Amino acid sequence: MNLATKDHAELAEQFNKDENRVDWHDETLWWIRQKRDKAAHNIPDWEMLRETASQIKNNVLGNIHQYLLDFEAQAQENGITIHWAADAAEHNQIILGLLQDMGINRMVKSKSMLTEECHLNDFLAAHGIETIDSDLGERIVQLAKEPPSHIVLPCIHKKKEEIGELFHEHLGTPAGNSDPQFLAETARQHLRETFLTRRAALTGVNFAIAETGEFVVCTNEGNADMGAHLADIHIASMGFEKIIPERKHLGVFLRLLTRSATGQPITTYSSHFKKPRKGQQMHIVIVDNGRTAQLGREDFRNSLKCIRCAACMNTCPVYRRSGGHSYHTAIAGPIGSILAPNLDMEKYSDLPFASTLCGSCSNVCPVKIDIHQQLYKWRQVIVQKGYAPAAKKMAMQGMTFMLSNPSVYRAGGKMGRLALKYVPFAVNNGMNPWYKHRDMPNPPKQSFGEWYEKNRGGKK
Amino acid sequence: MSSRDKILAAVKQNQPALQALPDVTPLVDTFPSSAEKFAETLAAIGGKAYEIQNITEIPVILGERDASTRVINLVDGLTIANAETQVGDIDPHTLENVDLAIIKAHFAVAENGAVWVTSDLLQQRALPFITQHLAVVINYDDVVGTMHQAYNRIADLDYDWAAFIAGPSKTADIEQSLVIGAHGARSMSVFILKQV
């Protein structure tokens, strides 16, 4: 699927062609948002919990240099090998090197959005190494040759019938069977064989503890553990912002993570990896890939507090109705729209505009990132740097001219009202983006200026 | 300059002013630390808790199993017919046909239905994942309320690997339909042993 050349609005338009699907997508995600609310309301001190998490993360940002040094030293003492990668290419190269050193050409991988960001699977495939994604949702989109559309629910955009077809084609299930129980059982059998035969396992990292050098991986399926505990080599990829100060701070984050994500009290498995198993190698690749630059941007560094729960996506009225693929980046939705411009401002200049700025994302964020404020600030940076689309620039210049010239403004308003009244086809057509999916309003008889002149004119 | 040094230098250069760490203590005692609450939460996430007076009740509740099914029993003082009790030195891949594993956990957490296990209790890290069914034994008094209490308890303990396990493995990746038994255990029973 080529997502590279289209912007958010164009990709959303493709998604919006099937209205029933949009409604279904919208309702499904809203249902998850409601589950989040219920879980949050069951915790009497929820807001205190959010504030505490936010303050811990603020502390991390201000002391991250020391925490990284502590983490590295502790992890090495525990027998873990630490690697540092300045960018995606170096991250991929390190992993390739580790696998080649052991003569391994097949790897099993649990969820890691960082490896999506780095396009690791494609890179390894080009070097003759097969990667199988073991999270069910990720396996489904991998079979469909698509990227995940959601960081927690990778195939939330797919109907079960489509998944049934994929399984029929790739895993030999009977045609037409789309029963979730049956399909999940098929995937269990298929992936069990994978877990038992792969000598290398890659996982992500949810939290890395500076104090102890251990890292925590959370899954519901048990796929990270099935891979890691059976493999000769366990590689964990982490962005450096995953660090937290002390083990006891996990109490705060593990209470927040899944309640915010899916409304569960905790993931089924919260696995604490401190030392490799006897005879096993354990490696951590700590990745920058633009994160130090983001840390230096005062207005945007708070985005590095993110714990990847996806609550901001589930609540976002734009995400719910445009689908994750419309964001054409590894991390979709509101948080992705403030992370991506840091990586490539030109390529992702459309994303901060893919928002109504309603602020719902900031209200549900468990670590209190000011997401909608950052979206607004990115818009200003993007326009100042000249990355706004030409049409938007022209329209904004036109607005500036009109709004700073009262006579032009009045004439323009009158013309607009007349056009809506007498030649509606001039605006009610495909050329006018405001006409898409909605009717134009009935024109008022007069402007507020005219009404004021008539009713209040002369009275001081 | 190595990537490590470059990254660390850039981090040092760009990190904002230090802010103090917050106090976690006001959050600690905000959920009842009762075995009954734990059982309730566990049931809500697909597990099942049994309160027992004596460890001998466990095989009765687990029921008869075909002699050919493989059972691993790692609980001291518990007798299960035909069960293996030593798996520490085998290749973990050979655990693939284990039907039931019975293990001890250090304590349980009432607010989320989780039990805390460390690798020294398991002999094999893979065991609670690769087994088809998982049974866990905890003491009635070893239930904490919140995760903060849990970490206070764990605070300075050492372990090689450890986990909170909360219920059977599950997925809702296909149209948000909950399916129990993803890649890990298909069921989780927790026996809460009330010493009399």
Side-chain angles (χ1 to χ4, degrees):
Chain A
M1 191 154 73
N2 182 11
L3 304 174
T5 54
K6 291 199 161 98
D7 70 9
H8 178 271
E10 291 169 300
L11 292 163
E13 202 159 347
Q14 286 180 7
F15 185 76
N16 282 341
K17 276 182 186 147
D18 184 346
E19 274 198 44
N20 289 334
R21 182 183 289 256
V22 175
D23 289 347
W24 165 78
H25 189 262
D26 177 22
E27 283 159 19
T28 307
L29 288 156
W30 185 249
W31 180 63
I32 299 164
R33 156 70 209 264
Q34 287 174 315
K35 289 204 295 183
R36 172 256 173 220
D37 290 351
K38 265 187 216 147
H41 296 157
N42 277 337
I43 300 286
D45 47 336
W46 181 257
E47 288 305 318
M48 201 205 314
L49 199 54
R50 282 179 74 213
E51 182 56 35
T52 308
S54 172
Q55 287 181 20
I56 295 170
K57 284 284 186 174
N58 287 340
N59 168 272
V60 168
L61 294 185
N63 197 30
I64 197 159
H65 180 260
Q66 188 58 47
Y67 288 146
L68 283 167
L69 289 175
D70 292 348
F71 177 73
E72 178 187 45
Q74 280 301 325
Q76 283 170 341
E77 205 180 297
N78 297 340
I80 301 176
T81 310
I82 302 286
H83 309 261
W84 299 78
D87 52 26
E90 192 174 6
H91 164 265
N92 294 348
Q93 197 61 52
I94 289 168
I95 290 166
L96 177 66
L98 288 171
L99 297 174
Q100 284 177 337
D101 282 350
M102 294 185 71
I104 290 173
N105 61 9
R106 300 187 305 171
M107 178 170 77
V108 64
K109 177 167 106 27
S110 69
K111 209 185 271 169
S112 151
M113 294 320 295
L114 178 58
T115 60
E116 293 292 328
E117 178 186 317
C118 296
H119 301 288
L120 175 69
N121 288 15
D122 292 343
F123 172 83
L124 290 180
H127 290 82
I129 292 176
E130 175 215 64
T131 306
I132 289 192
D133 287 321
S134 59
D135 173 83
L136 176 58
E138 288 211 352
R139 185 68 186 134
I140 289 166
V141 290
Q142 186 177 39
L143 291 175
K145 297 185 172 58
E146 292 176 14
S149 69
H150 186 287
I151 60 174
V152 173
L153 318 158
C155 67
I156 191 74
H157 62 292
K158 284 228 174 294
K159 293 272 198 181
K160 62 183 181 204
E161 290 77 15
E162 295 168 294
I163 298 166
E165 253 171 66
L166 276 171
F167 276 39
H168 173 60
E169 185 188 337
H170 295 279
L171 305 179
T173 54
N177 193 329
S178 58
D179 172 46
Q181 180 83 43
F182 172 76
L183 295 176
E185 179 61 30
T186 304
R188 177 183 169 101
Q189 304 299 342
H190 154 65
L191 285 165
R192 190 158 259 255
E193 190 274 332
T194 307
F195 290 127
L196 286 166
T197 51
R198 297 309 187 264
R199 292 170 53 214
L202 190 143
T203 68
V205 169
N206 289 91
F207 305 98
I209 322 302
E211 173 195 32
T212 59
E214 70 195 287
F215 61 96
V216 174
V217 182
C218 305
T219 73
N220 278 323
E221 298 184 9
N223 55 317
D225 288 280
M226 278 292 278
H229 302 320
L230 292 172
D232 299 340
I233 175 172
H234 174 187
I235 307 168
S237 292
M238 65 174 259
F240 67 64
E241 79 282 14
K242 297 287 179 175
I243 209 108
I244 61 172
E246 297 167 42
R247 196 188 268 164
K248 71 172 183 206
H249 295 128
L250 284 168
V252 175
F253 292 108
L254 292 182
R255 292 185 81 192
L256 283 166
L257 179 63
T258 20
R259 288 188 173 98
S260 298
T262 58
Q264 293 171 255
I266 190 170
T267 44
T268 303
Y269 306 106
S270 309
S271 208
H272 297 47
F273 293 90
K274 192 168 178 205
K275 294 176 185 165
R277 203 174 75 235
K278 204 176 144 207
Q280 183 199 36
Q281 287 188 35
M282 199 178 273
H283 297 260
I284 300 175
V285 187
I286 302 177
V287 181
D288 180 351
N289 205 35
R291 285 163 178 77
T292 48
Q294 190 86 325
L295 188 64
R297 296 182 203 265
E298 197 184 338
D299 285 342
F300 305 110
R301 62 166 62 109
N302 276 351
S303 59
L304 295 172
K305 291 162 72 179
C306 176
I307 58 170
R308 303 288 191 268
C309 71
C312 62
M313 301 180 194
N314 302 341
T315 200
C316 177
V318 176
Y319 176 89
R320 281 187 277 120
R321 292 175 183 83
S322 64
H325 288 154
S326 64
Y327 292 81
H328 59 93
T329 172
I331 299 179
I335 183 68
S337 300
I338 59 177
L339 291 171
N342 175 61
L343 284 174
D344 186 337
M345 211 181 292
E346 187 171 10
K347 186 175 172 194
Y348 300 117
S349 62
D350 54 322
L351 295 185
F353 295 91
S355 164
T356 63
L357 302 184
C358 71
S360 186
C361 46
S362 306
N363 286 331
V364 296
C365 177
V367 291
K368 293 197 164 181
I369 302 170
D370 52 341
I371 303 174
H372 73 295
Q373 309 275 15
Q374 292 193 35
L375 287 165
Y376 177 60
K377 285 173 184 164
W378 267 122
R379 292 181 185 188
Q380 295 169 50
V381 174
I382 283 162
V383 172
Q384 270 161 16
K385 299 256 178 183
Y387 293 127
K392 184 164 265 152
K393 257 190 267 183
M394 265 174 58
M396 285 299 155
Q397 278 159 4
M399 285 287 277
T400 307
F401 173 68
M402 193 168 80
L403 293 173
S404 50
N405 290 280
S407 56
V408 178
Y409 171 75
R410 278 192 289 271
K414 188 161 271 173
M415 272 173 59
R417 288 191 297 280
L418 288 171
L420 275 171
K421 191 166 176 192
Y422 296 110
V423 281
F425 52 85
V427 286
N428 292 352
N429 62 50
M431 301 284 286
N432 174 13
W434 286 98
Y435 184 62
K436 286 178 196 166
H437 306 290
R438 57 167 101 71
D439 295 325
M440 295 303 286
N442 290 323
K445 290 195 184 67
Q446 54 187 180
S447 72
F448 175 73
E450 288 165 349
W451 178 90
Y452 189 84
E453 186 60 33
K454 193 178 157 200
N455 292 289
R456 299 282 189 276
K459 289 180 201 168
K460 292 280 172 187
Chain B
M1 205 154 72
S2 69
S3 287
R4 174 189 183 273
D5 296 347
K6 261 190 275 179
I7 294 167
L8 285 169
V11 165
K12 196 168 190 180
Q13 173 80 32
N14 289 348
Q15 71 186 17
L18 182 63
Q19 296 185 42
L21 273 171
D23 181 15
V24 182
T25 42
L27 293 161
V28 173
D29 301 315
T30 49
F31 200 90
S33 52
S34 82
E36 290 70 26
K37 275 279 172 203
F38 165 75
E40 209 176 282
T41 314
L42 181 66
I45 56 175
K48 190 153 189 204
Y50 301 88
E51 204 177 295
I52 55 171
Q53 310 294 322
N54 195 308
I55 209 159
T56 53
E57 294 171 48
I58 293 175
V60 180
I61 295 169
L62 288 172
E64 290 276 317
R65 279 187 136 70
D66 194 280
S68 64
T69 52
R70 191 168 174 200
V71 178
I72 314 279
N73 167 22
L74 303 183
V75 180
D76 285 338
L78 173 67
T79 312
I80 302 278
N82 303 317
E84 296 164 55
T85 55
Q86 294 299 325
V87 289
D89 294 327
I90 61 171
D91 174 356
H93 293 83
T94 61
L95 297 169
E96 65 161 315
N97 59 351
V98 172
D99 186 59
L100 169 68
I102 313 169
I103 61 171
K104 196 72 189 118
H106 296 285
F107 62 88
V109 187
E111 70 156 313
N112 57 24
V115 299
W116 174 250
V117 297
T118 50
S119 44
D120 57 304
L121 291 178
L122 298 175
Q123 299 187 14
Q124 293 280 355
R125 298 180 188 186
L127 185 63
F129 305 93
I130 203 167
T131 182
Q132 297 290 333
H133 301 277
L134 180 65
V136 183
V137 181
I138 59 159
N139 290 323
Y140 182 85
D141 293 331
D142 290 330
V143 178
V144 300
T146 63
M147 288 295 278
H148 311 293
Q149 292 171 352
Y151 280 105
N152 282 347
R153 205 169 151 153
I154 300 162
D156 302 315
L157 299 181
D158 194 24
Y159 47 75
D160 294 350
W161 175 88
F164 284 104
I165 301 180
S169 78
K170 51 176 130 9
T171 178
D173 274 341
I174 301 175
E175 282 200 11
Q176 286 299 293
S177 300
L178 181 68
V179 177
I180 301 284
H183 301 304
R186 296 177 191 272
S187 75
M188 179 173 173
S189 313
V190 177
F191 296 97
I192 306 169
L193 182 59
K194 198 170 186 177
Q195 304 283 6
V196 279

